[in-house]
Every structure is written in structure tokens, then in C-alpha cells.
């Protein structure tokens, strides 16, 4: 297994980047972090998903002497990373409970003989005193703590074993530590520093913007059909994730998509564990599968070519939304975040806020988070500044490619209709739901209304000038702004909140977003690259070649090459080894193993499809 990597002391970070990973430039703050850690410094690294965190410890691992120990919370994640690294010729291994004894013994032997550069390990295994002892006897290059937010007791990924990782400092005071996460909020950052790093560790915080993700938020009308349309128009044959709230919904929607010709699988915590693992493995390995899941599907989904993340229900918080949508487009190619929501969603969220049993301080924070989420959904402005502001980052100007930038929503003066609606809620006794209140405004003559004598109210029929959909839109936006709130008895009623008083008294105006009926987005070509659209045969042939190699080796296709590398092949049409080596993502090992196969594929294509 000895190869170029054994000559550690003489290699530079830039050389490793090029020779092993096949990239010519560092991205963002990678170079700074890598230099700092190679020099023995401790670091906290915050980068969005897809930002390139792994290289921040993988390159120091190859440059510093000794083995780098990488703490990772999920076995599936470790396995994937080790597979990908070995493909690149890196001496990486994992130690976890799922391994056969034989393989474990082999890894332990390689550790003793210094033949491993990166050891991936679950926290509980690292904490096991046996292993600590063994590590104490060998040269350790660094400790990397991946998904470091798992140390936060407030987050939903909390892992109690992460709290004990502080012992690393006691046992290995001179070994640098690097903690990495894509979770942006301030509080989690502080917890990570407190628990996992020395007080003088350097922080490397990157922008959390994900420029390749296009955000689109729409009104929920017929959610399934809207979803299907979106997939057919813009992501046919591509991988994506659809998030739903209930377990039952994930199964129903997956079934329904299958009957409509979109291959889909369901994933939720209630599925039997082998089936769940099977679905996850299929999603990672196959191309063009849609995973319909609850939020149980998430951490460690390292698949780089997820082209869209769709939400059929509102996520819990804006942080959760950002993490979930962040799983799209890790490879840096165009991807989409798509969400539909309606009055019911807003009602439910408001109700959760009201019912929270938390203490006052906590409740205030929850309230703040909730407003942020609703604000993001309802905004008429560019989505990006709204989103980034929530993570303490400012974004100047407009992104130009979110839904609001591309078709700016119109607003209208809704003060008068809003007053009519609020007064109708008041007159009907502040305990009826939106449908009934709107019936009264529209002057509907039905049994429910007669029984309650609501046809005799002064607000009966005063809203005939506007359509039902408009009244629903006004109701939703008043609820989102907190002028209306759920009736706490839990029967779906609405009541006034004090916040609406100035509006009722005419002391302020109200401008609302004009809801347009759900529009179809422009159909787009897959992978959105002009070159692929121009050379569909080349693209298909390269993908088929990748598929064959992946099947032979029993790895996911992206482990052979990412889409970005295939795209570069289409664009650059390499015809010899030297040109092939210059493609992004082609390091020495992959050049040796795969260049010939792909060069043959390109050479075999008739000239016409290459133009
Ligand atoms: P993260 O762990 O932050 O989500 P990864 O480390 O998985 O991100 O990197 C995301 C993608 O970016 C991967 O496909 C990786 O190969 C690629 N990448 C990372 N660094 C670079 C770089 N310097 N140049 C080109 N691509 C890079
Ligand atoms: Zn925008």
C-alpha cells in the first residue's frame, strides 16, 4: 500500500490538492485552515454544506506525520468517506462496530505499523480506553471532529458521547484539534468552542451563502400535482429529496410518485431498520431516485448530486430549512430548493408557538425563530438576504435567481379588506376558522351560518367584491404577521391579537403580497449546462461508462467521478492522458484507473455528437 503518500515530510498542501484530489485551487478559506492545522494550530471551521470541509483535515492528515483521527457520528458516513478516499489512493480506514473482526484486526495492525493516514471512528469507540491507550503509543497527526454540532444539547443531532470528547485534550495535549460543522447559529458555535476546543483555537467562518441553490417558495394548492410538475419540468431523471411532516405522508407520496413514473422511496424513523438502511443505500448508489422522507433522513447524506430538495410542509425553523435544503447541490452544480405552504401550515406553526410549554426566555427565542421562518416565506424581496440575515450575515443587493428576483411579486393596499376581515372575526365571536369567516364575508347562505345567526351580522356579505382566494390570502398573511392568532381551544378558530389594533383604528396601513396562482416554472435542461444540452449523447455515454465502473467496483457512481468532472470532459474533450489529468477531480490514482476507460468512451463517439 506504499505510494506517493508515504513521503509525507516533503509534500506541500498544494501538491496534495493537485496530485491526490485533482484540484488546482483551494476554495474559500481552505488554504488558511490547512496551513494553520499543518502548523499545529487548533481550529473551528464553519462552512456551509458543500463548502469543502473535508479537505481541511484530509490534507493536513496527509502532510503531517502520523495518523489523523476523524471522529464522525454515523457509520454510513464514515464508510462513504473511506471508500471515496481509497479511490483516490489515500490510506484511510474506519473502525466501527459494523466491521467484521478480521477487517478490524487488519486496521489495528496497520495502525501499529504506521500504514494508515486517516482513521475514521465513532466517538464511543474513540472513548474506549483500549483504543486511547493504543493511540497514545503511536504518532497522531491531528484529531478532526466532524459534525461538531452534535455536541450541542439544544440541537436535534445531539450525541451525548460528543460531550466526553474533551478528554482528547487531556490525553493528547500537543496534538492539534479541528472541529467542523455546517451549523451556523452563534450559540452552537460557542458550545463547540467551550466543549471541544482550547480557548485560543482559531475560528474560520465562511459565508453561508450557497450561490448554486435557487430558492423557490410557492402557495400550496394541489401539493402533489405541483410537486410532480416541478419534478417533471425541471428534474426528470435526477436525484432529489422531498420532505414531509408525517411518516404516513412519506409513504403515500412515494407510492404516488412511482405510479406517475417518478422512481421514489420513502424514509422515516418508523420503517423497519433494515428496510430503512436499504432505502438509504439505494438512494446513495442509484441515480435519479427521489427520496420522500421525514427529517429523520438527513445528517450524513453526503450524496453530491442531489439536484433538488422539496418541502411539502413547512420545516420547523429556518435553521432546519437551511440544513435540509443544504443537502442539494453539494457538487457545486445548479440545484433547487422548492417549498409550498398555505394557510393551514401557518396556522399550525402559530399554534405550536402558542402551545409551547417552554419557560419565558426559551419561548421568546422560539417565537423569534418562528417569525423568521414566516418572514422568509412571506417576503416579497430577494430570499437570500432574508435567509442569510438569520445567520448573522449581510448580503448586499439581489441574487437575481431566486423566485422573487426573477418575478418580483406585486403588493397591494389591503388595509380596508384586512379591517373588514378582522371585524368579521370579532363579530362572529373569535372562535371560527377561516372558512366560516370567509363564508360570512362572502354572504354565503348556508345551514352553518343560519344556525348561528351569522346572516344577521353587519359583516355578512361585506366581502362580495373579492374572491375567496383573495380572502384566504389576506387571512394567511394576517396570521403570518401575527394580527390574527389561533384560538387556544384547539378547534381551529381564529381570534384577534392586540397587534391588529393600530390597523383597526386606522393608525397604519397595510400592504400585502399579491398571491398569484401557482405557476409552472420554466422547464430546464438537466444539469443546466449548455454543453450538456448541446452534446446529450456524449453526456449519456460518459454517464453509462461511470455506471459500469461503479457497478464493477460496487461503489456509488459519484465515487468514480462527480458530475462536475464529467461535465468538464464534455466541455474540454480530453484526448490524451495529459489533458485528462488536467480535469478537476482527477488525481494521480483516478488518472491511472479510469482515464483510459473514459478516453475510449470519448473516442468512440461519432464526431457529430461531440460538437
Ligand atoms: P462539506 O463536507 O463541507 O459539505 P465536501 O468536503 O464534501 O463539503 O466538499 C464538497 C464538494 O466540493 C466535493 O465534491 C469536493 O470534492 C469539492 N471540493 C472541495 N474542495 C474543492 C476545491 N478546492 N476545488 C474543487 N472542488 C472542491
Ligand atoms: Zn434573489
Amino acid at each position: 500500500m506504499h505510494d506517493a503518500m508515504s513521503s509525507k515530510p516533503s509534500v506541500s498542501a498544494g501538491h496534495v490538492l493537485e496530485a491526490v484530489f485533482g484540484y488546482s485551487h483551494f476554495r474559500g478559506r481552505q488554504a488558511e485552515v490547512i496551513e494553520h492545522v499543518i502548523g499545529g494550530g487548533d481550529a473551528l471551521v464553519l462552512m456551509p454544506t458543500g463548502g469543502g470541509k473535508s479537505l481541511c483535515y484530509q490534507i493536513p492528515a496527509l502532510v503531517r506525520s502520523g495518523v489523523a483521527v476523524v471522529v464522525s457520528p454515523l457509520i454510513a458516513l464514515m464508510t462513504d468517506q473511506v471508500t471515496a478516499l481509497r479511490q483516490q489512493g489515500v490510506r484511510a480506514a474506519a473502525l466501527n462496530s459494523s466491521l467484521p473482526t478480521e477487517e478490524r484486526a487488519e486496521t489495528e495492525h496497520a495502525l501499529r505499523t504506521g500504514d494508515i493516514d486517516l482513521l475514521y471512528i465513532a466517538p464511543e469507540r474513540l472513548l474506549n480506553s483500549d483504543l486511547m491507550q493504543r493511540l497514545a503509543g503511536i504518532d497522531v497527526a491531528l484529531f478532526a471532529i466532524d459534525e461538531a454540532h452534535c455536541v450541542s444539547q439544544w440541537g436535534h443531532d445531539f450525541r451525548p458521547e460528543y460531550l466526553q470528547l474533551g478528554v482528547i485534550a487531556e490525553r493528547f495535549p500537543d496534538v492539534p484539534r479541528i472541529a467542523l460543522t455546517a451549523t451556523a447559529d452563534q450559540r452552537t458555535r460557542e458550545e463547540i468552542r467551550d466543549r471541544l476546543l482550547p480557548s485560543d483555537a482559531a475560528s474560520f467562518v465562511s459565508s453561508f451563502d450557497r450561490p448554486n441553490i435557487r430558492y423557490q417558495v410557492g402557495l400550496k394548492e394541489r401539493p402533489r400535482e405541483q410537486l410532480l410538475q416541478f419534478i417533471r419540468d425541471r428534474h426528470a431523471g435526477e436525484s432529489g429529496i422531498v420532505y414531509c411532516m408525517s411518516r404516513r405522508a412519506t409513504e403515500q407520496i412515494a407510492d404516488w410518485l412511482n405510479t406517475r413514473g417518478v422512481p421514489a422511496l420513502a424514509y422515516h424513523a418508523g420503517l423497519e431498520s433494515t428496510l430503512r438502511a436499504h432505502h438509504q443505500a439505494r438512494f446513495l448508489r442509484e441515480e435519479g431516485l427521489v427520496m420522500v422522507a421525514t427529517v429523520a433522513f438527513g445528517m450524513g447524506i453526503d450524496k453530491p448530486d442531489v439536484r433538488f430538495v422539496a418541502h411539502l410542509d413547512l420545516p420547523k425553523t429556518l435553521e432546519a430549512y437551511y440544513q435540509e435544503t443544504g443537502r442539494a447541490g453539494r457538487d457545486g452544480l445548479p440545484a433547487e430548493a422548492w417549498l409550498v405552504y398555505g394557510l393551514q401550515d401557518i396556522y399550525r406553526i402559530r399554534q405550536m408557538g402558542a402551545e409551547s410549554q417552554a419557560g419565558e426566555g426559551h419561548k421568546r427565542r422560539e417565537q423569534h425563530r418562528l417569525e423568521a421562518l414566516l418572514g422568509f416565506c412571506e417576503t416579497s424581496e430577494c430570499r437570500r438576504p432574508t435567509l442569510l440575515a438569520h445567520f448573522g450575515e449581510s448580503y448586499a443587493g439581489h441574487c437575481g435567481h431566486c423566485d422573487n428576483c426573477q418575478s418580483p411579486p406585486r403588493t397591494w393596499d389591503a388595509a380596508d379588506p384586512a379591517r373588514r376581515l378582522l371585524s368579521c372575526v370579532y363579530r362572529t365571536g373569535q372562535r371560527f376558522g377561516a372558512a366560516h369567516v370567509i363564508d360570512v364575508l362572502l354572504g354565503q347562505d348556508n345551514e352553518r351560518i343560519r344556525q348561528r345567526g351569522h346572516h344577521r351580522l353587519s359583516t355578512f356579505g361585506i366581502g362580495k367584491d373579492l374572491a375567496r382566494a383573495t380572502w384566504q390570502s389576506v387571512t394567511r398573511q394576517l396570521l403570518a404577521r401575527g394580527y390574527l392568532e389561533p384560538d387556544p381551544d384547539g378547534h381551529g378558530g381564529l381570534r384577534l391579537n392586540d397587534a391588529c389594533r393600530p390597523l383597526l383604528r386606522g393608525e397604519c396601513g397595510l400592504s400585502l403580497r399579491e398571491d398569484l396562482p401557482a405557476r409552472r416554472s420554466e422547464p430546464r435542461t438537466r444539469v443546466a449546462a449548455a454543453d450538456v444540452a448541446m452534446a446529450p449523447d456524449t453526456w449519456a455515454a460518459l454517464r453509462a461508462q461511470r455506471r459500469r465502473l461503479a457497478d464493477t467496483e460496487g461503489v456509488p457512481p459519484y465515487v468514480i467521478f462527480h458530475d462536475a468532472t464529467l461535465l468538464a470532459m464534455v466541455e474540454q474533450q480530453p484526448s490524451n492522458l495529459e489533458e485528462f489529468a488536467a480535469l478537476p477531480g482527477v488525481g494521480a490514482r483516478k488518472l491511472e484507473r479510469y482515464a483510459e476507460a473514459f478516453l475510449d468512451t470519448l473516442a468512440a463517439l461519432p464526431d457529430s455528437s461531440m460538437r
Side-chain angles (χ1 to χ4, degrees):
M1 272 175 68
H2 284 270
D3 60 14
M5 270 20 296
S6 339
S7 58
K8 275 185 175 185
S10 63
V11 298
S12 76
H15 174 74
V16 174
L17 178 72
E18 181 83 57
V20 179
F21 299 99
Y23 297 131
S24 49
H25 303 285
F26 285 111
R27 232 193 226 169
R29 307 193 69 178
Q30 279 176 336
E32 288 169 75
V33 178
I34 290 168
E35 189 188 344
H36 180 78
V37 176
I38 289 176
D42 302 293
L44 170 63
V45 174
L46 293 119
M47 273 187 197
T49 308
K53 283 185 286 299
S54 329
L55 290 189
C56 294
Y57 59 83
Q58 287 168 351
I59 291 184
L62 296 178
V63 173
R64 282 177 66 88
S65 80
V67 60
V69 178
V70 185
V71 179
S72 175
L74 287 179
I75 291 176
L77 188 59
M78 273 184 229
T79 316
D80 284 358
Q81 297 223 353
V82 168
T83 310
L85 283 167
R86 286 187 178 164
Q87 283 283 329
Q88 285 157 324
V90 175
R91 305 180 305 174
L95 275 182
N96 62 53
S97 50
S98 77
L99 293 172
T101 325
E102 219 170 284
E103 206 177 321
R104 212 150 58 203
E106 218 171 273
T107 301
E108 286 173 3
H109 177 76
L111 260 185
R112 278 195 299 278
T113 55
D115 287 318
I116 292 185
D117 289 321
L118 275 138
L119 177 71
Y120 283 78
I121 193 163
E124 54 278 12
R125 188 157 283 269
L126 174 63
L127 294 164
N128 160 325
S129 57
D130 239 29
L131 188 77
M132 280 281 184
Q133 210 79 51
R134 223 168 299 149
L135 288 175
I138 62 174
D139 194 9
V140 178
L142 60 97
F143 285 96
I145 303 167
D146 205 4
E147 310 285 357
H149 62 280
C150 289
V151 80
S152 163
Q153 280 163 283
W154 306 103
H156 41 60
D157 292 328
F158 176 55
R159 296 291 178 111
E161 315 83 46
Y162 265 66
L163 288 175
Q164 296 166 42
L165 292 174
V167 302
I168 297 174
E170 293 160 27
R171 304 286 297 267
F172 303 88
D174 302 324
V175 177
R177 270 170 289 161
I178 168 170
L180 310 101
T181 181
T183 301
D185 71 281
Q186 193 59 37
R187 179 162 160 170
T188 312
R189 277 178 212 183
E190 280 158 21
E191 283 183 83
I192 295 172
R193 291 191 67 99
D194 278 358
R195 307 215 160 102
L196 300 175
L197 293 169
S199 53
D200 61 350
S203 278
F204 298 89
V205 182
S206 300
S207 164
F208 270 72
D209 187 24
R210 296 286 311 278
N212 62 318
I213 299 183
R214 177 179 182 273
Y215 298 93
Q216 184 181 344
V217 180
L219 269 197
K220 197 188 270 188
E221 287 167 352
R222 302 164 66 219
R224 289 180 183 197
E225 279 76 14
Q226 287 171 279
L227 174 69
L228 181 65
Q229 200 70 63
F230 168 69
I231 296 176
R232 280 187 178 159
D233 283 351
R234 299 176 68 81
H235 297 284
E238 297 180 337
S239 302
I241 305 174
V242 177
Y243 281 112
C244 312
M245 218 164 45
S246 83
R247 295 175 176 186
R248 215 165 57 110
T250 64
E251 295 186 19
Q252 289 171 343
I253 288 167
D255 286 346
W256 187 82
L257 284 174
N258 279 311
T259 65
R260 297 296 186 281
V262 176
L265 295 171
Y267 188 102
H268 59 75
L271 283 186
E272 193 263 318
S273 66
T274 50
L275 185 63
R276 202 166 65 212
H278 177 65
H279 283 186
Q280 170 160 340
R282 279 195 58 193
F283 180 72
L284 293 177
R285 265 159 206 258
E286 293 177 26
E287 293 166 290
L289 257 187
V290 173
M291 186 68 105
V292 188
T294 61
V295 293
F297 186 67
M299 191 169 56
I301 303 310
D302 239 354
K303 189 175 167 64
D305 57 351
V306 173
R307 294 270 69 89
F308 69 91
V309 170
H311 281 88
L312 286 176
D313 292 301
L314 276 183
K316 277 212 170 71
T317 60
L318 207 50
E319 285 92 338
Y321 172 76
Y322 208 57
Q323 264 200 358
E324 286 150 24
T325 56
R327 291 170 191 140
R330 271 176 177 249
D331 54 12
L333 296 174
E336 291 191 286
W338 182 92
L339 165 98
V340 287
Y341 75 102
L343 176 59
Q344 289 309 319
D345 298 88
I346 306 273
Y347 192 90
R348 181 176 51 74
I349 292 248
R350 281 269 177 241
Q351 206 166 23
M352 272 172 4
E355 280 170 0
S356 167
Q357 300 295 319
E360 269 316 305
H362 193 52
K363 205 163 168 169
R364 242 196 329 275
R365 272 195 300 277
E366 270 183 17
Q367 198 62 34
H368 174 74
R369 293 175 131 187
L370 214 149
E371 301 303 335
L373 176 65
L374 297 181
F376 171 75
C377 293
E378 296 282 345
T379 185
S380 313
E381 310 281 322
C382 175
R383 306 263 175 211
R384 224 167 280 268
T386 319
L387 206 46
L388 290 172
H390 190 62
F391 301 111
E393 202 178 319
S394 61
Y395 183 94
H398 300 268
C399 77
H401 76 295
C402 68
D403 55 349
N404 284 349
C405 278
Q406 287 178 339
S407 31
R410 285 205 296 232
T411 54
W412 59 296
D413 178 359
D416 170 65
R419 285 183 199 119
R420 282 188 270 161
L421 184 109
L422 291 168
S423 101
C424 191
V425 168
Y426 183 76
R427 304 252 170 238
T428 49
Q430 309 197 62
R431 55 199 176 87
F432 292 92
H436 183 81
V437 174
I438 294 173
D439 277 350
V440 175
L441 283 167
L442 292 174
Q444 300 281 305
D445 192 2
N446 67 32
E447 190 62 19
R448 244 173 95 88
I449 285 187
R450 291 199 162 266
Q451 256 177 13
R452 293 172 172 83
H454 289 170
H455 57 301
R456 287 192 294 269
L457 293 175
S458 61
T459 54
F460 184 74
I462 58 164
K464 286 183 181 166
D465 57 324
L466 297 175
R468 179 175 294 272
T470 308
W471 286 116
Q472 281 166 340
S473 166
V474 173
T475 314
R476 189 193 78 246
Q477 295 185 69
L478 290 178
L479 195 56
R481 288 175 187 230
Y483 290 180
L484 283 173
E485 63 185 22
D487 175 10
D489 79 357
H491 296 306
L494 289 166
R495 64 176 192 179
L496 306 189
N497 180 289
D498 281 347
C500 76
R501 282 171 197 261
L503 177 65
L504 277 178
R505 287 196 296 254
E507 291 163 10
C508 66
L510 182 71
S511 156
L512 293 182
R513 196 188 151 113
E514 186 177 299
D515 287 333
L516 297 171
R519 279 159 307 167
R520 279 177 65 169
S521 334
E522 289 290 300
R524 73 178 250 280
T525 47
R526 296 189 219 161
V527 191
D531 297 289
V532 169
M534 303 284 287
D537 299 344
T538 312
W539 181 243
L542 292 171
R543 280 168 66 99
Q545 178 61 277
R546 177 174 68 177
R547 169 97 261 158
R548 271 195 296 280
L549 292 166
D551 287 347
T552 314
E553 303 193 17
V555 297
Y558 58 80
V559 168
I560 306 288
F561 283 128
H562 281 185
D563 283 352
T565 304
L566 297 197
L567 258 177
M569 289 182 207
V570 177
E571 279 163 14
Q572 294 167 28
Q573 298 285 333
S575 59
N576 56 44
L577 288 178
E578 198 184 325
E579 286 169 12
F580 199 90
L583 299 171
V586 180
R589 175 64 60 98
K590 288 193 176 180
L591 179 71
E592 185 188 309
R593 287 175 82 155
Y594 306 126
E596 210 174 317
F598 284 96
L599 286 172
D600 285 350
T601 303
L602 288 169
L605 284 160
D607 270 0
S608 60
S609 72
M610 296 170 66
R611 296 283 130 78

